[in-house]
């Protein structure tokens, strides 16, 4: 039996309590770097974002899991993904490619694909030996029966995102860490609770 999304969000707030400053600062640095890179003209920024997107995803995932598991989060964790650059890059590029290809069909299949692959970097944090493609496959299996639950979790944050827009974006400094830590709790909640049992011969 998995935890309700409202409880996951409450637990995420409790995980962040007393340590919001570090979380806000870490994610702000990541998005500041990515924003600066995206501003590089003549398409150079877009190429660089593809190169650093995976390592930053792996690092911020590790950072978020430190909060959700009551470990000691460290600022430098957001850069830890660069120690595993090749694996993080491959996973990121494969996810971007797969979601893009599904989007060519319709928006809905693309969203479903993105939800299916959403646990990939969490799996890679927990298993440093798993290959990128295998982590994606494992994420797809893990999310069987949980895609709608995750979609509902994202919908809960949508209203908050609208409020953040009204604050000229300042509110996102709190919302983004809140979302990431909530997602980390979501991962830990479902990883040992498969909703769909896959039969093997």
């Amino acid at each position: 039996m998995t935890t309700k999304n409202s409880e996951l969000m409450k637990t995420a707030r409790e995980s962040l309590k007393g340590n919001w400053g570090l979380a806000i600062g870490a994610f702000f640095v990541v998005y500041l770097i990515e924003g600066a890179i995206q501003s590089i003209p003549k398409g150079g920024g877009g190429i660089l974002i593809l190169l650093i997107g995976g390592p930053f995803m792996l690092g911020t995932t590790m950072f978020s899991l430190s909060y959700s598991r009551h470990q000691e989060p460290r600022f430098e964790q957001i850069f830890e993904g660069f120690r595993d650059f090749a694996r993080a890059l491959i996973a990121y590029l494969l996810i971007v490619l797969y979601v893009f290809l599904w989007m060519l069909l319709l928006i809905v299949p693309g969203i479903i694909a993105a939800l299916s692959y959403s646990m990939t970097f969490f799996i890679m944090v927990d298993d440093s030996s798993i290959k990128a493609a295998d982590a994606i496959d494992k994420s797809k299996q893990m999310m069987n029966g949980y895609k709608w639950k995750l979609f509902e979790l994202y919908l809960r944050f949508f209203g908050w995102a609208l409020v953040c827009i009204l604050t000229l974006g300042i509110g996102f400094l709190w919302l983004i860490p809140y979302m990431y830590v909530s997602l980390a709790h979501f991962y830990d909640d479902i990883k040992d609770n498969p909703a769909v049992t896959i039969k093997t011969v």
Side-chain angles (χ1 to χ4, degrees), residues 70-118:
H70 306 290
Q71 298 167 351
E72 186 177 349
R74 296 174 289 106
F75 175 81
E76 58 268 25
Q77 283 179 310
I78 62 175
F79 300 105
E80 286 292 318
F82 288 92
R83 294 177 179 269
D84 198 359
F85 182 83
R87 200 169 61 116
L89 173 64
I90 292 170
Y92 187 77
L93 292 180
L94 286 175
I95 290 172
V96 170
L97 176 62
Y98 293 160
V99 172
F100 173 74
L101 291 176
W102 280 109
M103 283 284 188
L104 291 179
L105 298 177
L106 281 172
I107 296 296
V108 173
I111 293 173
I112 293 173
L115 293 170
S116 295
Y117 309 143
S118 59

Side-chain angles (χ1 to χ4, degrees), residues 50-162:
L50 285 175
L51 292 176
I52 69 169
F56 269 134
M57 277 296 296
L58 190 60
T60 52
T61 298
M62 186 183 301
F63 181 71
S64 301
L65 282 170
S66 293
Y67 274 93
S68 67
R69 294 173 176 176
H70 306 290
Q71 298 167 351
E72 186 177 349
R74 296 174 289 106
F75 175 81
E76 58 268 25
Q77 283 179 310
I78 62 175
F79 300 105
E80 286 292 318
F82 288 92
R83 294 177 179 269
D84 198 359
F85 182 83
R87 200 169 61 116
L89 173 64
I90 292 170
Y92 187 77
L93 292 180
L94 286 175
I95 290 172
V96 170
L97 176 62
Y98 293 160
V99 172
F100 173 74
L101 291 176
W102 280 109
M103 283 284 188
L104 291 179
L105 298 177
L106 281 172
I107 296 296
V108 173
I111 293 173
I112 293 173
L115 293 170
S116 295
Y117 309 143
S118 59
M119 299 294 107
T120 300
F121 286 97
F122 290 98
I123 292 166
M124 291 172 66
V125 169
D126 276 346
D127 185 354
S128 60
S129 65
I130 193 170
K131 295 180 180 179
D134 292 337
I136 291 173
D137 287 339
K138 188 172 181 178
S139 176
K140 289 166 60 179
Q141 295 175 13
M142 188 181 295
M143 287 301 294
N144 278 330
Y146 287 118
K147 289 186 282 292
W148 181 252
K149 178 177 170 64
L150 180 57
F151 183 70
E152 287 183 323
L153 179 61
Y154 283 136
L155 284 180
R156 286 177 172 270
F157 286 110
F158 182 73
W160 287 106
L162 294 177

Side-chain angles (χ1 to χ4, degrees), residues 21-65:
L22 176 61
I24 291 171
F27 280 99
F28 179 72
V29 167
V30 171
Y31 287 100
L32 196 66
I33 292 172
E34 291 183 341
I37 289 174
Q38 285 179 329
S39 66
I40 297 175
K42 297 182 180 180
I47 295 173
L48 285 175
I49 282 294
L50 285 175
L51 292 176
I52 69 169
F56 269 134
M57 277 296 296
L58 190 60
T60 52
T61 298
M62 186 183 301
F63 181 71
S64 301
L65 282 170

